[in-house]
Amino acid sequence: MKVKQLSIFLENKKGRMLHALSILEKLGINIRALSIADTSEFGILRLIVSDPDKIKLELEKEQFIVKITEVIAVSIDDTPGGLNKVLRLLDENEINLEYLYAFVEQIKNRAIVILKLEDMEEGIKILKENNTSILSTDELYNI
């Protein structure tokens, strides 16, 4: 169960992120998860949104460089060590983690972790075999 993630390359210039996110606002698209990594010259804004293909097209019309990447969304207990259970499974099975970001879903007292793995298929297999809750696209979009 993979989820599409948008990666938007942003120049480190005043108002660039606001411009990108204003496009989502104009289209009535809600952000489910967000992460930004930056360097001195550019940043990568990673988003989980309900209609990534539509947003990609609209952002590209405004001269943004956008890539769609598949990631995994897992639900974990929002307790100390909750994330380590997932990371330990990946490590024990020699599955490389490229990056992750997370947010807390307060209604059910759980955390949602977005994972990008080097071997996505093997990662999904290991997580499922170990009863890790992997969210579907619909479950993630409807949080």
Side-chain angles (χ1 to χ4, degrees):
M1 291 190 224
K2 297 177 207 164
V3 176
K4 289 182 179 181
Q5 167 195 268
L6 291 171
S7 295
I8 306 163
F9 297 86
L10 300 172
E11 294 175 276
N12 277 351
K13 290 185 178 177
K14 184 178 183 204
R16 198 70 175 139
M17 186 183 313
L18 175 61
H19 183 192
L21 296 181
S22 293
I23 294 167
L24 277 73
E25 178 184 25
K26 179 179 145 187
L27 296 171
I29 301 293
N30 199 9
I31 299 168
R32 303 321 301 150
L34 175 148
S35 170
I36 188 155
D38 70 334
T39 66
S40 60
E41 296 180 23
F42 71 93
I44 300 173
L45 176 63
R46 293 184 172 110
L47 300 173
I48 304 291
V49 297
S50 59
D51 195 343
D53 296 311
K54 177 179 180 179
I55 296 304
K56 180 180 187 295
L57 291 173
E58 293 299 320
L59 288 166
E60 288 174 339
K61 287 179 188 175
E62 294 290 323
Q63 307 306 308
F64 286 95
I65 298 170
V66 184
K67 181 179 176 187
I68 291 182
T69 308
E70 291 184 324
V71 294
I72 305 168
V74 298
S75 173
I76 61 173
D77 291 332
D78 186 19
T79 58
L83 177 58
N84 282 351
K85 290 177 186 175
V86 171
L87 296 179
R88 204 168 281 117
L89 278 173
L90 298 173
D91 187 62
E92 289 169 356
N93 289 279
E94 299 183 12
I95 297 171
N96 185 41
L97 173 67
E98 293 183 11
Y99 59 82
L100 69 79
Y101 53 101
F103 61 97
V104 177
E105 199 273 306
Q106 295 186 5
I107 294 172
K108 295 183 180 177
N109 197 31
R110 63 184 181 169
I112 309 300
V113 181
I114 308 297
L115 304 168
K116 174 67 170 100
L117 307 174
E118 190 172 77
D119 186 340
M120 296 287 283
E121 297 304 324
E122 186 65 16
I124 290 170
K125 177 182 167 219
I126 295 301
L127 292 169
K128 282 183 177 180
E129 286 174 356
N130 288 275
N131 299 315
T132 303
S133 176
I134 300 175
L135 302 178
S136 69
T137 301
D138 287 342
E139 288 171 310
L140 184 60
Y141 293 164
N142 291 307
I143 289 177

